[in-house]
Amino acid sequence: MINRAEKLSLLSEMIAFAQTDDNIKTIEYNFLLSIAKQLDISKEDFEYLFKHPVNYVHLKTHSERIVQFHRLVLLMNLDHKVSDKQLVKIHNFGLRMGLSHESINRVLDLMDSFPNKIVPPDFLIDIFKVQYN
């Protein structure tokens, strides 16, 4: 289980990613707020992160990093518009998390083949398992 510092780091990272296009759309804000609720982070703490991002905390397990990468992919595709800037940023986030370059590229290449570009979790896990083993 991840601790509070890791949870705040995850949210802070997601907020930074959502701000790639300079403004956060309502659908992105609501998605981020739902993640905060899942992580048991108050709305006040969530709002605080917009003006006061926390330092990145490296997630300990490979599975936690895959889940976070999946959240970022979902966030990126909420508005159905993926910019080159977002692709570069998500790729860099994945690398910083210690995920395989090949797996990241495979997910980003294949997401277009899924409805609404939503990569199913089991498919995403299989991609990363191949590289992890």
Side-chain angles (χ1 to χ4, degrees):
M1 187 61 161
I2 61 176
N3 64 37
R4 181 169 169 74
E6 290 168 328
K7 291 176 183 181
L8 292 172
S9 173
L10 293 176
L11 280 173
S12 192
E13 179 178 61
M14 293 181 77
I15 290 167
F17 184 72
Q19 292 172 329
T20 300
D21 296 330
D22 295 325
N23 62 354
I24 295 181
K25 296 167 185 71
T26 302
I27 192 169
E28 294 169 329
Y29 177 88
N30 290 336
F31 178 77
L32 291 168
L33 183 58
S34 72
I35 297 297
K37 288 178 184 175
Q38 287 175 5
L39 295 173
D40 203 25
I41 300 297
S42 70
K43 186 171 182 181
E44 294 77 25
D45 289 345
F46 169 70
E47 292 285 340
Y48 182 83
L49 292 174
F50 281 87
K51 299 272 190 223
H52 306 92
V54 298
N55 291 333
Y56 174 73
V57 176
H58 190 71
L59 295 169
K60 293 173 187 81
T61 70
H62 193 252
S63 61
E64 290 168 345
R65 294 189 296 264
I66 292 170
V67 169
Q68 179 64 359
F69 186 76
H70 190 240
R71 287 182 188 124
L72 291 169
V73 170
L74 293 173
L75 177 61
M76 179 175 66
N77 288 305
L78 282 175
D79 64 358
H80 306 288
K81 297 174 190 169
V82 177
S83 69
D84 289 340
K85 194 174 177 181
Q86 286 176 312
L87 288 171
V88 168
K89 199 164 191 177
I90 198 168
H91 193 271
N92 289 336
F93 279 177
L95 290 175
R96 183 177 70 182
M97 286 188 274
L99 298 175
S100 153
H101 173 75
E102 294 83 15
S103 297
I104 294 167
N105 285 341
R106 181 133 190 243
V107 170
L108 297 177
D109 289 343
L110 293 176
M111 72 183 180
D112 289 329
S113 63
F114 293 102
N116 297 321
K117 297 184 178 186
I118 297 174
V119 180
D122 56 338
F123 191 85
L124 186 112
I125 289 167
D126 287 345
I127 290 172
F128 284 101
K129 270 187 186 175
V130 168
Q131 294 296 326
Y132 191 66
N133 289 331

